[in-house]
């Protein structure tokens, strides 16, 4: 039986660590921009929840620094797990593990998003090109229409 081999000419590949691991974006995937926008919205919500919950914890544990620190650490751990899930939703399963390993620090996700932004701009150009390529390939030419 023959193997199915797909061409990978319309991918955007980023090396994400010193071990030579990559994440790839399929620029012909028309769902990619939507996944990026949805994740971006969800990341903003997670951040708002984080800030709101920090304010609540500061009021609750105003005079109890030890328990406030414990609560903030737990909150940050939970929010980091949510952030990893959102980033993996468009970067690919396990991407955050490749990028960060087992480290968790709440601010690292903002750094990651800032680092990705220039690449999104480059991909947008290629996504448009890929869409045009797909249209040319799969939609009939005017001369083919009866």
């Amino acid at each position: 039986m023959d193997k199915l081999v797909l061409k990978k000419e319309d991918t955007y590949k980023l090396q994400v660590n010193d071990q030579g691991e990559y994440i790839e974006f399929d620029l012909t995937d028309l769902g990619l921009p939507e996944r990026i926008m949805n994740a971006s919205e969800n990341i903003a919500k997670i951040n708002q929840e984080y800030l709101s919950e920090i304010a609540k914890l500061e009021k609750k544990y105003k005079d109890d620094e030890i328990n406030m620190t414990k609560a903030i650490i737990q909150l940050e751990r939970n929010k980091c797990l949510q952030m990893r899930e959102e980033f993996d939703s468009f970067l690919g399963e396990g991407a955050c593990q490749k990028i960060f390993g087992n480290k968790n620090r709440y601010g690292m996700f903002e750094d990651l998003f800032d680092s990705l932004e220039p690449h999104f701009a480059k991909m947008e150009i290629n996504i448009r090109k890929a869409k045009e390529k797909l249209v040319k390939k799969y939609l009939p030419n005017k001369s083919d229409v009866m």
Side-chain angles (χ1 to χ4, degrees):
M1 181 188 242
D2 290 333
K3 291 183 179 178
L4 176 64
V5 178
L6 299 175
K7 293 182 183 177
K8 288 191 156 193
E9 61 190 45
D10 291 321
T11 61
Y12 190 89
K13 195 172 178 179
L14 289 170
Q15 185 173 348
V16 294
N17 60 33
D18 293 335
Q19 288 76 39
E21 292 183 291
Y22 291 85
I23 56 174
E24 289 185 10
F25 298 91
D26 179 354
L27 300 179
T28 60
D29 179 359
L30 298 177
L32 178 61
E34 182 180 15
R35 286 194 305 276
I36 291 171
M37 287 186 293
N38 287 343
S40 179
E41 289 173 8
N42 291 339
I43 288 165
K45 286 179 190 173
I46 292 168
N47 194 50
Q48 277 304 116
E49 290 170 2
Y50 170 77
L51 295 173
S52 174
E53 290 178 38
I54 287 286
K56 289 176 187 174
L57 290 174
E58 287 174 346
K59 286 181 183 177
K60 181 177 179 179
Y61 296 111
K62 182 173 67 171
D63 297 323
D64 187 355
E65 194 169 325
I66 291 173
N67 284 321
M68 180 171 63
T69 301
K70 287 179 183 179
I72 289 173
I73 289 170
Q74 184 177 7
L75 172 66
E76 286 187 2
R77 185 176 49 82
N78 291 336
K79 294 301 177 186
C80 283
L81 293 175
Q82 290 176 351
M83 289 286 205
R84 281 177 176 264
E85 191 175 307
E86 286 304 323
F87 274 94
D88 280 356
S89 74
F90 71 91
L91 294 176
E93 188 175 334
C96 285
Q97 186 63 33
K98 288 178 185 178
I99 296 166
F100 301 120
N102 293 326
K103 295 177 186 172
N104 280 309
R105 179 181 50 83
Y106 192 76
M108 69 188 192
F109 298 100
E110 185 176 346
D111 296 342
L112 175 58
F113 208 81
D114 290 345
S115 296
L116 288 170
E117 280 195 277
H119 296 284
F120 292 152
K122 291 176 188 176
M123 284 190 285
E124 181 61 36
I125 295 166
N126 293 330
I127 288 172
R128 256 188 253 122
K129 184 177 124 187
K131 286 179 188 177
E132 290 171 8
K133 195 173 180 179
L134 285 171
V135 167
K136 286 178 185 174
K137 185 173 181 177
Y138 293 109
L139 289 182
N141 294 330
K142 290 182 182 179
S143 61
D144 293 343
V145 179
M146 297 176 100

